[in-house]
């Protein structure tokens, strides 16, 4: 039996202001399978009449996008998953 389980990190919609309750994903800058670097902009979100960037919390591979562009979700919702693998 081989262990192929890679730790996954959740990319959550942060709360950018005290009154922010939800945000709408405008676009993803990366696609599933693309490498990402910690603190890199990976998505654009509209919240409370401002546009903000969501950054990768860790380096790895964007494994899965859970919230497509155009969808509005509450703060702290998981937007995507990053596999924390070393691709060296």
């Amino acid at each position: 039996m081989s262990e192929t389980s890679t730790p996954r990190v959740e990319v959550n919609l942060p709360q950018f202001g005290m009154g922010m309750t939800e945000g709408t994903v405008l676009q993803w800058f990366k696609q599933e399978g693309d490498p990402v670097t910690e603190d890199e902009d990976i998505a654009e979100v509209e919240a409370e009449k401002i546009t903000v960037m969501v950054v990768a919390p860790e380096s790895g591979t964007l494994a899965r996008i859970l919230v497509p562009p155009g969808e509005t979700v509450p703060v702290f919702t998981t937007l995507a998953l990053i596999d924390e693998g070393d691709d060296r």
Side-chain angles (χ1 to χ4, degrees):
M1 176 174 12
S2 68
E3 289 262 339
T4 58
S5 178
T6 302
R8 286 200 165 167
V9 175
E10 293 181 347
V11 179
N12 296 319
L13 176 62
Q15 186 173 21
F16 293 103
M18 292 295 289
M20 181 179 164
T21 59
E22 63 185 17
T24 303
V25 176
L26 297 178
Q27 67 177 320
W28 286 95
F29 301 126
K30 298 285 188 169
Q31 296 179 9
E32 290 181 0
D34 286 350
V36 296
T37 305
E38 185 175 359
D39 294 329
E40 175 182 12
D41 292 343
I42 59 172
E44 184 178 31
V45 173
E46 184 177 58
E48 301 297 316
K49 300 181 184 175
I50 62 167
T51 301
V52 292
M53 300 300 158
V54 174
V55 299
E58 298 285 337
S59 295
T61 302
L62 184 59
R64 185 143 186 227
I65 293 173
L66 303 174
V67 179
E71 191 167 322
T72 301
V73 294
V75 294
F76 310 123
T77 296
T78 302
L79 301 176
L81 299 172
I82 294 175
D83 282 341
E84 289 184 296
D86 259 347
D87 295 333
R88 287 186 224 165

